[in-house]
Amino acid sequence: MKKNKILNHINKLIEEGKIILTTKYYSNGVMGNLCFVNEENFTSWKCQIEIFLNSNPAFENVYNNFTKKYRMYTNYNFTNRYISLLQGLKTSIEDEIVIVDDDIKKETSLSEGANAIFIAHGHSNLWNEVLRFLRDDLNLTDVNYFEKESQTGRSIADALRDFHKETGFAIVVMTAEDETSTNTKRTRQNVIHEIGFFQGKLGFEKVAILKQDNVESFSNIDGIQYIPFSGDNISQTFYELQRVLKREHII
């Protein structure tokens, strides 16, 4: 990633943090009158920072030292400390104390062998955010999904078999869409099928399930690892998803 692009990204994160600070409010607690900010905005912003800092080896020590030093703080105080961390990192890059290699984050293609990523999903458009994350933030270019090409005249089974030939890792987005007789919502049945299909073909560790909080669990999911997210905030899963992709040597 180019030095200017990194600095622009840091500036953007700093400005977003300053906006979050404007949502502050006070609450009485055991420790006295404490200051907080909007939890949802803070969590999403913090996730972006963690993804950014963990995506570049030049920043890993900075981030690791930060997480060791600061623990018991409100999200308001943490927002200020994250802003200070980003400002310090920006200054260090500008003064070339932290050297950024322009070739540190080369575009990664997964076209060799069966290493493409497949995104399975229902009707919700949240999967598009996952696609943008893989392409824009992680620079993964070989990502498949049903809409990538026309499936007219082909059965789902045939399409899945063809996708499987290229797939080395699957991401399944479980969103609440179909209402049940008990007034709960479950994910689309094709999504359940695709979880089983890819787990059977690739193995459990090669399938990442991103599960919306209000989705009815199916009978076997309690024994399966999944990454939860609340509401439409699927970006909450990105930090953990990145860790899984690193673990499986996709990135």
Side-chain angles (χ1 to χ4, degrees):
M1 186 185 289
K2 299 293 185 182
K3 179 176 177 179
N4 287 341
K5 188 174 180 181
I6 287 176
L7 290 172
N8 288 337
H9 196 161
I10 291 174
N11 283 329
K12 179 175 177 288
L13 289 170
I14 290 172
E15 291 306 311
E16 288 178 358
K18 290 178 178 177
I19 292 171
I20 288 172
L21 288 176
T22 65
T23 67
K24 70 178 181 180
Y25 62 95
Y26 294 91
S27 178
N28 291 321
V30 176
M31 302 291 291
N33 203 22
L34 301 177
C35 190
F36 296 89
V37 295
N38 181 278
E39 183 70 30
E40 185 176 305
N41 293 343
F42 170 76
T43 302
S44 177
W45 178 71
K46 176 174 174 284
C47 182
Q48 291 179 57
I49 294 173
E50 290 172 341
I51 289 167
F52 170 65
L53 294 177
N54 280 288
S55 68
N56 198 313
F59 308 151
E60 285 183 349
N61 286 337
V62 175
Y63 181 62
N64 288 337
N65 290 335
F66 175 82
T67 54
K68 288 176 184 176
K69 187 174 182 181
Y70 301 113
R71 293 185 182 277
M72 300 302 291
Y73 290 91
T74 66
N75 55 13
Y76 176 84
N77 287 331
F78 252 124
T79 302
N80 275 311
R81 294 190 181 279
Y82 270 114
I83 290 173
S84 296
L85 170 68
L86 293 167
Q87 289 171 332
L89 184 59
K90 175 186 173 184
T91 300
S92 296
I93 293 171
E94 290 173 336
D95 294 344
E96 297 189 348
I97 297 171
V98 173
I99 305 299
V100 177
D101 184 347
D102 285 347
D103 293 326
I104 256 175
K105 193 176 178 185
K106 296 179 180 178
E107 186 169 283
T108 305
S109 174
L110 301 178
S111 58
E112 296 181 7
N115 289 319
I117 294 175
F118 183 81
I119 303 176
H121 60 87
H123 288 162
S124 170
N125 287 324
L126 290 177
W127 71 273
N128 277 302
E129 294 186 35
V130 179
L131 177 61
R132 282 193 292 270
F133 170 65
L134 296 176
R135 287 180 171 175
D136 297 345
D137 291 354
L138 302 184
N139 289 338
L140 293 170
T141 60
D142 200 348
V143 183
N144 290 329
Y145 42 92
F146 277 111
E147 294 80 0
K148 192 171 184 179
E149 56 190 48
S150 174
Q151 304 299 333
T152 303
R154 304 182 66 211
S155 70
I156 296 297
D158 286 341
L160 278 175
R161 275 192 289 267
D162 286 346
F163 279 125
H164 169 255
K165 294 174 185 176
E166 304 173 1
T167 300
F169 191 90
I171 299 171
V172 184
V173 181
M174 284 185 66
T175 47
E177 296 180 39
D178 292 346
E179 192 162 339
T180 69
S181 58
T182 56
N183 295 322
T184 59
K185 286 194 174 182
R186 65 184 183 187
T187 196
R188 301 284 299 175
Q189 293 302 286
N190 71 284
V191 174
I192 303 297
H193 172 249
E194 285 156 24
I195 290 173
F197 176 83
F198 282 110
Q199 285 180 335
K201 294 288 186 180
L202 304 175
F204 284 77
E205 71 281 359
K206 296 288 186 182
V207 180
I209 301 172
L210 313 184
K211 181 178 176 294
Q212 199 172 38
D213 56 357
N214 58 335
V215 174
E216 181 185 69
S217 295
F218 55 91
S219 58
N220 292 334
I221 198 170
D222 290 334
I224 296 172
Q225 293 292 322
Y226 61 85
I227 307 172
F229 65 97
S230 59
D232 290 338
N233 300 306
I234 198 167
S235 62
Q236 293 174 352
T237 67
F238 291 170
Y239 175 63
E240 187 61 29
L241 177 58
Q242 183 184 33
R243 292 183 62 197
V244 174
L245 292 171
K246 281 184 176 181
R247 183 195 71 197
E248 298 304 318
H249 306 293
I250 305 297
I251 56 176

